[in-house]
Amino acid sequence: MGKKIVIAGAGASGMMAAIAAAGGLSEMDGEQGQDAAERGQDKGPAGGYGFARPEDICILEKNERAGRKLLATGNGRCNFTNAKCTSWDYSGAFLLKKETSGFPDSVMVQAPPKRVMEAFFRMGILPREEDEGRVYPYSGQGSSICQALYSKLASLGVEIRCGSVLKRAEALPGGGFHLTLRDGSELTCERLILAVGGKAGCQYGSEGDGYALARELGHGVVKPIPALVQLTADDPDLPSLKGVRVKARAALFEGSEKIRDDRGEIQFTEDTLSGICIFNLSRYVRYSGNPVSAPERYHVGIDFMEEYPEETVLAILRLRQEYLGQREARAFLSGVLHEKLAAVFMQKLGIPAGRKTAELREEDLAALAAMLKNFDVKITGTKSWKDAQVTAGGVDTAEIHRRTLESKLIPGLYFAGELIDVDAPCGGYNLQWAFASGMVAGKAAGMVPGTAGRD
């Protein structure tokens, strides 16, 4: 059985791509593409482009329900975009390649956060902007986003085949694709959108099978790694810090070179550093100056008193020694630092816990000040794919037309979402990319062949 467009993956990017391909977003641009497609016209009456008939579009979804991973985002609330998002928030190997440095920008210009919010508003979602630009459905329920997408697809008449896994895609010599599913069934299509996601969140069905499909079609894949995930650490004192939460600035270093820093709440476990700022740093373990360097070359420096320069911290400690001279060293930092951290500081510096504060030497105070400004933790890697929120790495953007997300190697092949080598920090940025890339790829694939334009 043949289809004009097959979309592999009914996640955020796949469902949005199907809606865009069917002309379901055309009203935002004043286009009449869906009406033109229904009349069998190639172009709309106002010079707009025709879109694919909804009945000619099919989504293949491996899970028994579409949007399974989407339902779990934002602790079930679904932080579906970020109002402050720009192309500068995105990373990928394209940052190391001058010729593709503007890749996300072409997508974000076409589908900025405002457009994503407008699309969902037209589907019934009232957005609520919260701290740092995070945008949620006003209902506070992530299921509202999924239901809006389901309803739109149903109203358009787009078919979703759940429990269908794309096993192999073969580009045909005369154009189009021959698809083989895991159950042995086959179908053909004129255009194929791969939106199967990455490897993060494997408990939701993410297996990374899209990378094999892309490779078989001739595309290069930047090695995928877990991102927005806890950093595993090698420090004998970490078990004693389990449960400690502290506001601080964390900086990721490769050797002596600082790669990136971020601030927020840091959480200590017995073998990891966690918290949103740590998650954000995890993306740059991969995209440092040497992208193939071993994880053990990385370390994180934590600044517990970022508001103060080190000399001011030392001056504060001198005053505390003057005012609190009769206190034991174990309580010297009480009111400044969590007691578990204070105990680790004293132990690392060899200061007996029972020593009187008045007996601390100037070099002890200087060492404490230096440690408060740079508590160094050796990083050994990251937690697993199950713990990761997104994938860093993916289909090489150098082989994708940035304006349409069509393959530069095979006409009619498109990519969307996490499968592409693009990732971003916590806060709705990655779902913004999923929806934006879905809009762009879907619209381009749904247009009359040859009219979408390329780079």
Side-chain angles (χ1 to χ4, degrees):
M1 179 180 178
K3 290 282 186 179
K4 284 190 180 295
I5 300 174
V6 168
I7 300 165
S13 61
M15 287 192 282
M16 188 63 82
I19 291 168
L25 304 177
S26 61
E27 67 274 12
M28 291 196 297
D29 300 319
E31 296 171 352
Q32 298 178 5
Q34 185 180 349
D35 292 337
E38 290 172 353
R39 292 194 298 270
Q41 297 177 353
D42 285 346
K43 291 188 177 182
Y49 299 113
F51 290 91
R53 298 172 184 269
E55 61 267 27
D56 289 332
I57 301 172
C58 174
I59 308 177
L60 303 176
E61 169 55 40
K62 69 168 58 177
N63 290 311
E64 294 304 318
R65 183 180 183 185
R68 184 180 172 193
K69 185 176 177 181
L70 184 58
L71 284 168
T73 61
N75 294 318
R77 297 178 61 212
C78 195
N79 177 193
F80 69 95
T81 187
N82 191 295
K84 298 179 180 179
C85 180
T86 72
S87 59
W88 293 101
D89 294 305
Y90 294 94
S91 292
F94 58 83
L95 291 177
L96 306 177
K97 302 175 183 179
K98 188 175 181 180
E99 70 273 15
T100 54
S101 59
F103 186 83
D105 188 58
S106 299
V107 172
M108 292 296 293
V109 166
Q110 297 178 72
K114 183 178 179 180
R115 182 174 174 84
V116 170
M117 284 188 276
E118 181 182 356
F120 276 107
F121 182 74
R122 290 172 178 266
M123 295 184 215
I125 300 298
L126 181 64
R128 184 200 297 269
E129 183 177 340
E130 298 187 5
D131 293 345
E132 299 177 323
R134 292 181 173 89
V135 179
Y136 298 86
Y138 210 86
S139 66
Q141 293 180 293
S143 58
S144 301
I145 294 290
C146 285
Q147 190 57 54
L149 293 167
Y150 301 157
S151 297
K152 185 67 173 179
L153 289 166
S155 68
L156 290 168
V158 174
E159 177 188 10
I160 303 178
R161 298 185 190 177
C162 290
S164 299
V165 182
L166 178 59
K167 187 68 176 178
R168 189 166 185 269
E170 178 186 1
L172 300 175
F177 302 86
H178 181 269
L179 310 179
T180 304
L181 306 190
R182 185 177 288 176
D183 63 6
S185 59
E186 300 176 343
L187 69 156
T188 59
C189 63
E190 295 180 10
R191 278 148 276 164
L192 173 63
I193 302 176
L194 293 181
V196 293
K199 293 183 70 175
C202 53
Q203 65 272 36
Y204 303 113
S206 300
E207 299 175 348
D209 41 358
Y211 305 127
L213 291 169
R215 288 190 182 101
E216 288 177 0
L217 290 164
H219 274 267
V221 175
V222 177
K223 182 180 178 181
I225 63 166
L228 300 192
V229 65
Q230 301 94 330
L231 294 175
T232 55
D234 180 17
D235 192 311
D237 294 308
L238 275 184
S240 65
L241 296 176
K242 182 178 179 180
V244 172
R245 295 170 179 253
V246 60
K247 294 285 183 65
R249 179 171 292 278
L252 176 69
F253 290 84
E254 183 183 9
S256 60
E257 180 185 0
K258 185 167 83 169
I259 305 303
R260 193 80 173 187
D261 64 2
D262 204 341
R263 70 180 306 276
E265 183 180 81
I266 298 174
Q267 303 167 23
F268 292 85
T269 75
E270 58 188 14
D271 60 355
T272 70
L273 297 179
S274 188
I276 290 177
C277 63
I278 297 297
F279 287 179
N280 290 339
L281 293 182
S282 71
R283 303 164 54 222
Y284 294 94
V285 169
R286 190 56 203 301
Y287 300 118
S288 63
N290 179 6
V292 296
S293 57
E296 57 265 23
R297 293 181 56 182
Y298 291 90
H299 57 106
V300 168
I302 303 174
D303 183 351
F304 294 105
M305 300 183 70
E306 64 166 317
E307 301 91 342
Y308 303 99
E310 188 171 325
E311 57 268 26
T312 303
V313 174
L314 179 56
I316 290 171
L317 295 181
R318 287 172 179 152
L319 286 173
R320 290 178 68 83
Q321 183 182 42
E322 178 183 343
Y323 300 153
L324 308 170
Q326 295 308 305
R327 278 190 182 181
E328 292 183 339
R330 64 168 54 88
F332 180 52
L333 295 176
S334 177
V336 174
L337 199 63
H338 192 288
E339 61 183 358
K340 289 184 178 181
L341 276 165
V344 167
F345 273 41
M346 297 303 172
Q347 181 180 345
K348 281 184 176 293
L349 296 177
I351 300 174
R355 178 179 292 174
K356 294 295 184 183
T357 294
E359 298 172 3
L360 295 178
R361 300 165 299 175
E362 178 65 17
E363 52 262 43
D364 294 329
L365 298 180
L368 281 170
M371 191 171 286
L372 282 164
K373 292 297 292 179
N374 185 24
F375 182 75
D376 195 69
V377 180
K378 180 182 177 182
I379 300 303
T380 58
T382 68
K383 293 283 278 184
S384 69
W385 288 109
K386 182 178 179 180
D387 301 291
Q389 295 183 27
V390 300
T391 303
V395 178
D396 194 339
T397 56
E399 299 169 349
I400 302 173
H401 289 288
R402 67 185 72 181
R403 231 184 104 207
T404 61
L405 301 184
E406 184 179 14
S407 167
K408 292 181 179 180
L409 310 181
I410 302 176
L413 173 64
Y414 298 81
F415 300 93
E418 193 176 341
L419 183 62
I420 304 173
D421 177 28
V422 174
D423 65 279
C426 297
Y429 300 92
N430 288 288
L431 273 181
Q432 164 63 29
W433 170 255
F435 292 127
S437 61
M439 286 179 174
V440 170
K443 181 177 179 179
M447 286 181 177
V448 174
T451 64
R454 294 174 179 167
D455 295 353

